[in-house]
Amino acid sequence: MPHIDYFFATISPYTYLAGTRLEEIAARHGCTVTYKPLDIIALFARTGGTPPAERHPSRQEYRAQELRRQAAKAGLPFNIKPAHWPTNPAPAAYALIAAQKAGGGDLGALQHAYGRSCWADDRDIADDAVIRACLTEAGFDPALADSGLLAGAEEYVANLEEAVTRGAFGAPFYITDTDEWFWGQDRLDDLDLHLSGKL
């Protein structure tokens, strides 16, 4: 059975713009997926990237235009200047890690609920009430927001180390069990073709 390790940031606009396409692709090809949320700013620092706020103004403007275009292509509502960005992405990540261990819900829907909360609904995904609402929406016990915080924090750090070791440098980043890398939600079609044996 093919497998995908999915490195992402709960706060990343590009992770939000991926929607649930990864999950649709995985279902089509009988793939399993392991969700590996990480600290994207720390990943940038480790792999030569620059945080958005520190980029040259022309790069910031291009990013704004590209996000608007990608949101339109994906048919997703999008606020280029959300009220709660940046915010601390770790609490949402810890809850997702706990949810992955617990099972019983839809992890893709959970991550998408985080993204929509930030980038469309102007909600703070570091807020416990928002995290609980997202867990509930995705079919998980909202009490997972309180459980496994230490284990979640340890796995969050471990995911960053694994990402650096395996070559990931941005989010979303998809690595197959055959060590094919796909960076960005705009490469999901390529991932689909690869899993189809066409690329």
Side-chain angles (χ1 to χ4, degrees), residues 97-151:
I97 289 167
Q100 183 163 233
K101 292 181 188 312
D106 185 330
L107 289 168
L110 176 57
Q111 175 49 43
H112 190 61
Y114 288 156
R116 188 189 65 246
S117 293
C118 175
W119 293 98
D121 298 340
D122 278 335
R123 302 178 75 199
D124 185 356
I125 65 163
D127 183 278
D128 188 64
V130 174
I131 294 170
R132 287 173 176 275
C134 291
L135 284 163
T136 300
E137 177 184 328
F140 292 103
D141 181 350
L144 288 170
D146 301 321
S147 66
L149 296 180
L150 179 59

Side-chain angles (χ1 to χ4, degrees), residues 15-74:
T15 297
Y16 164 58
L17 293 176
T20 56
R21 286 181 288 157
L22 171 64
E23 291 72 25
E24 293 162 11
I25 290 167
R28 189 159 48 249
H29 295 286
C31 283
T32 54
V33 177
T34 300
Y35 291 75
K36 296 181 176 284
L38 50 72
D39 180 339
I40 189 64
I41 300 301
L43 183 64
F44 287 157
R46 297 277 299 276
T47 59
T50 304
E54 297 174 18
R55 293 173 188 165
H56 187 275
S58 61
R59 288 179 176 269
Q60 292 187 37
E61 175 59 24
Y62 184 81
R63 176 181 179 274
Q65 291 188 21
E66 183 67 359
L67 284 169
R68 174 180 46 78
R69 290 190 291 261
Q70 293 295 323
K73 283 173 63 176

